[in-house]
Amino acid sequence: MSILRNINTARNSTVSTILTKSSITSTYGTSTWYHNLPVQVLVNIFQYFDEKDLTKNIALVCKRWRYASNSPELWKKLEFYGKDVPTTFICRKIRDLAYLKSVRVDNIAEPIAVIRQIYRCNPNIKHVAIRNCSTIPETALRNLIQRCRKLESLDLSGTKFRANRFYEEIAGLINLRSVNLSKNSWLSVRNLLSVVLNCHKLEELQLSSFCPLKPLEQLSDEDASFIISNLAPNLKVLILDASTLTNFSFKAIMHCNKLEQLGLYGAGNLSPDVFTRIWEHLPNLKMLKVRYAHQITGQHIVELFELGRNARIILGLDIISTCL
């Protein structure tokens, strides 16, 4: 046993000596370790990290790592929040990062300039989110969808704009799968129907808040049923302002058997019998959000799980202001 112990001690000592003396050398004869690996090797390693890690961790290690972490091919996604972020900084990043696939800005100072920079510098972008920004003209959005033909998702939640031709020309985005048009008081039922008719392959529709300027243009059961029936074959995510809807619309949703996420906001008319039998119609559901459904009690939630105990496990349940 003592001989084996000595052998292990000697081996560990040898390894330690090798590392401390930096006897691992590169092809150029200089010592090589993580801090001075070739930049391209570092870039190949860093591709396994997301943009948050690149910024918050990797770039802080040393100058070489920071230089490598800024390589354009590593950056597929950009996110900016708040009016304090300079527009020039955002635009410069969009210009320099040619491999971008996703840009998200929220409540920024100059959304029009950013939109213009996106379609000029990154026409192959796939995901764009312009959220909670000041009113933007229809021409800016039309230019975006005309130049960026590979768009797969468009999120305009909270950004107000008045448009007509935009909702018709969106049909040119043959890869479009996701649209979020929430919280735009200029959006009308007619606009919404135009999107549904022109985007047959939509898999995700988000309309968490629908408050048109004209009260008479509220979403009716007939409108909602038409929208749902047209999207049903492909729909996987549906977030809907249900404040003006009844069981007529909720039963129509039960025909979307591919749904994985369902959100019903302001669902005051959702009846317990429809709620408790969701499992029977939506076997793939993973996320359920039901808000302000005043007819739903704690007992109904228990019944929901009892009836669905043989269904797939739901990963998220968000039920607010029910009669618990």
Side-chain angles (χ1 to χ4, degrees):
M1 294 296 292
S2 61
I3 295 175
L4 292 175
R5 189 180 300 111
N6 291 336
I7 291 174
N8 287 331
T9 301
R11 183 176 59 188
N12 293 337
S13 176
T14 302
V15 172
S16 176
T17 301
I18 290 173
L19 295 179
T20 55
K21 290 183 178 180
S22 300
S23 58
I24 301 177
T25 59
S26 69
T27 55
Y28 300 101
T30 58
S31 60
T32 301
W33 199 233
Y34 292 117
H35 66 283
N36 61 354
L37 284 171
V39 170
Q40 190 54 50
V41 173
L42 290 173
V43 171
N44 291 339
I45 295 172
F46 295 165
Q47 67 179 327
Y48 295 100
F49 296 87
D50 61 24
E51 290 77 8
K52 183 178 180 180
D53 284 327
L54 292 174
T55 303
K56 301 294 185 181
N57 299 310
I58 292 174
L60 304 181
V61 173
C62 62
K63 291 182 179 180
R64 180 182 288 266
W65 282 35
R66 182 174 183 176
Y67 177 80
S69 67
N70 285 324
S71 297
E73 58 262 44
L74 295 177
W75 289 80
K76 303 296 190 296
K77 180 172 64 174
L78 276 182
E79 296 183 0
F80 297 101
Y81 301 87
K83 297 184 185 298
D84 294 335
V85 184
T87 302
T88 53
F89 176 76
I90 299 174
C91 291
R92 185 171 67 250
K93 282 292 185 181
I94 293 173
R95 180 199 64 198
D96 294 342
L97 302 176
Y99 297 89
L100 281 177
K101 297 301 179 185
S102 172
V103 173
R104 174 186 173 121
V105 294
D106 196 320
N107 191 31
I108 60 171
E110 299 180 65
I112 301 174
V114 172
I115 292 173
R116 186 185 303 118
Q117 190 76 341
I118 290 173
Y119 66 69
R120 284 179 177 176
C121 301
N122 300 87
N124 293 321
I125 200 161
K126 293 184 177 181
H127 309 281
V128 172
I130 313 291
R131 297 173 59 95
N132 302 310
C133 294
S134 56
T135 303
I136 55 179
E138 181 182 21
T139 52
L141 293 175
R142 290 180 62 199
N143 285 331
L144 177 68
I145 63 175
Q146 288 170 6
R147 305 280 189 89
C148 303
R149 308 300 275 183
K150 295 184 179 181
L151 272 179
E152 296 179 7
S153 70
L154 183 60
D155 184 348
L156 300 172
S157 176
T159 297
K160 296 181 180 180
F161 61 95
R162 179 186 288 180
N164 286 305
R165 295 185 64 181
F166 164 77
Y167 296 111
E168 299 171 357
E169 293 173 357
I170 203 171
L173 300 176
I174 60 175
N175 297 309
L176 192 65
R177 297 293 183 271
S178 172
V179 171
N180 188 342
L181 299 172
S182 305
K183 297 182 285 187
N184 177 16
S185 56
W186 293 109
L187 179 70
S188 67
V189 172
R190 179 181 177 181
N191 298 148
L192 192 56
L193 295 177
S194 182
V195 171
V196 172
L197 289 172
N198 289 309
C199 303
H200 303 287
K201 296 182 179 180
L202 275 185
E203 297 178 358
E204 178 175 347
L205 175 64
Q206 294 196 41
L207 191 66
S208 61
S209 176
F210 181 61
C211 302
L213 293 175
K214 299 179 180 179
L216 296 178
E217 292 188 356
Q218 294 290 339
L219 192 65
S220 67
D221 280 321
E222 290 75 14
D223 297 327
S225 298
F226 178 82
I227 291 169
I228 293 165
S229 62
N230 274 271
L231 298 179
N234 301 308
L235 201 60
K236 295 181 179 179
V237 178
L238 177 63
I239 309 296
L240 195 61
D241 183 341
S243 57
T244 59
L245 305 181
T246 68
N247 275 344
F248 184 81
S249 297
F250 302 138
K251 289 179 180 179
I253 293 173
M254 298 303 119
H255 295 288
C256 303
N257 51 26
K258 291 185 179 180
L259 269 184
E260 297 177 3
Q261 298 182 40
L262 174 62
L264 298 174
Y265 290 45
N269 295 320
L270 177 63
S271 66
D273 61 312
V274 174
F275 175 77
T276 55
R277 298 187 177 278
I278 284 178
W279 292 114
E280 296 180 10
H281 305 283
L282 307 176
N284 297 310
L285 200 64
K286 299 176 183 177
M287 180 71 71
L288 175 63
K289 293 183 179 182
V290 178
R291 299 188 173 180
Y292 307 106
H294 305 300
Q295 298 184 44
I296 308 303
T297 66
Q299 180 57 41
H300 297 134
I301 296 174
V302 172
E303 188 176 349
L304 170 72
F305 281 97
E306 287 181 346
L307 293 175
R309 58 177 175 266
N310 295 324
R312 293 185 60 179
I313 298 175
I314 196 165
L315 300 180
L317 181 64
D318 182 351
I319 300 180
I320 297 178
S321 292
T322 54
C323 300
L324 301 179

